[in-house]
Amino acid sequence: QFLPQREDVFNGAEQEDIERKTPLWGVLESIRPGDVLVIAAQGSHFTGCLGDMLVRYFKLRGGAGIVVDGRVRDAARIRALGVPVWCTGVTPHYASQTELFPSAFNVPVGVGGTLVTPGDLIVADEDGAVVVPQDRAVPLAEDSLLHQDREAFARRRLDEGGLLSDYYPLTGEGLDEYLASRAAT
């Protein structure tokens, strides 16, 4: 969690030395294999929450991906590392160089207008990232597999010349046809 800087809480003159004592270093040193790091940076266009060295360390610890409600730096080097990162853009600034400062980790945060709590699952692809509470993961996965199967059926029918209105979304006679095809297998 990044919060606004304030002179009586943090003096920017010691930025790089003090950063290693912040929760940003703490969270990186607590990363376990498969973890997804979610950073609340209030959509800042200036604070570079992570750069090459921090993402490199994240990867070496076994981190799976990073979601940042803000910016990162060293974009080319991060891409070369192959760590999936979802962020709002890039900046040349480092984590405490501008208006925000790393303040806490392993706490609930608001990212992209969504509450993320420690232990939530993050599902992400090239379209973006979503939060899945742990207790909803199994039913959501089951629903997702069913949805994926229905869409595969609809794609086949569209590729065969079917009408969009018959197969997408899959309702009415198209849905009946899908259900009959599943019952036959």
Side-chain angles (χ1 to χ4, degrees):
Q1 177 187 56
F2 279 68
L3 292 176
Q5 289 195 40
R6 203 171 76 184
E7 277 186 32
D8 63 324
V9 177
F10 170 74
N11 180 345
E14 315 150 5
Q15 289 164 334
E16 286 189 345
D17 184 46
I18 201 167
E19 269 189 9
R20 71 184 73 190
K21 298 174 185 112
T22 69
L24 182 55
W25 261 243
V27 72
L28 290 169
E29 290 179 351
S30 72
I31 293 296
R32 295 176 315 229
D35 280 355
V36 174
L37 177 58
V38 178
I39 299 175
Q42 302 181 21
S44 172
H45 292 257
F46 305 106
T47 299
C49 299
L50 300 166
D52 168 40
M53 294 299 194
L54 302 186
V55 174
R56 181 175 303 275
Y57 189 73
F58 173 83
K59 178 182 180 175
L60 293 170
R61 302 272 306 179
I66 299 168
V67 177
V68 182
D69 186 14
R71 306 283 170 119
V72 299
R73 56 177 283 147
D74 305 327
R77 289 186 184 269
I78 290 173
R79 272 192 296 280
L81 289 170
V83 174
V85 175
W86 291 263
C87 63
T88 63
V90 297
T91 181
H93 305 292
Y94 52 87
S96 63
Q97 190 174 11
T98 62
E99 80 279 14
L100 298 180
F101 188 75
S103 66
F105 75 95
N106 216 17
V107 297
V109 293
V111 175
T114 301
L115 175 65
V116 182
T117 63
D120 283 343
L121 303 174
I122 305 297
V123 178
D125 64 14
E126 60 275 354
D127 292 333
V130 296
V131 179
V132 179
Q134 279 189 10
D135 64 343
R136 307 234 8 238
V138 171
L140 182 62
E142 291 168 349
D143 289 347
S144 296
L145 290 172
L146 178 60
H147 181 81
Q148 185 177 0
D149 189 55
R150 286 180 175 190
E151 285 201 345
F153 174 83
R155 278 188 202 90
R156 280 193 306 277
R157 290 300 190 249
L158 292 174
D159 289 348
E160 293 167 355
L163 293 174
L164 181 64
S165 57
D166 289 341
Y167 295 103
Y168 191 77
L170 201 51
T171 58
E173 290 178 24
L175 178 58
D176 292 342
E177 185 181 335
Y178 165 76
L179 294 172
S181 73
R182 282 191 47 106
T185 56

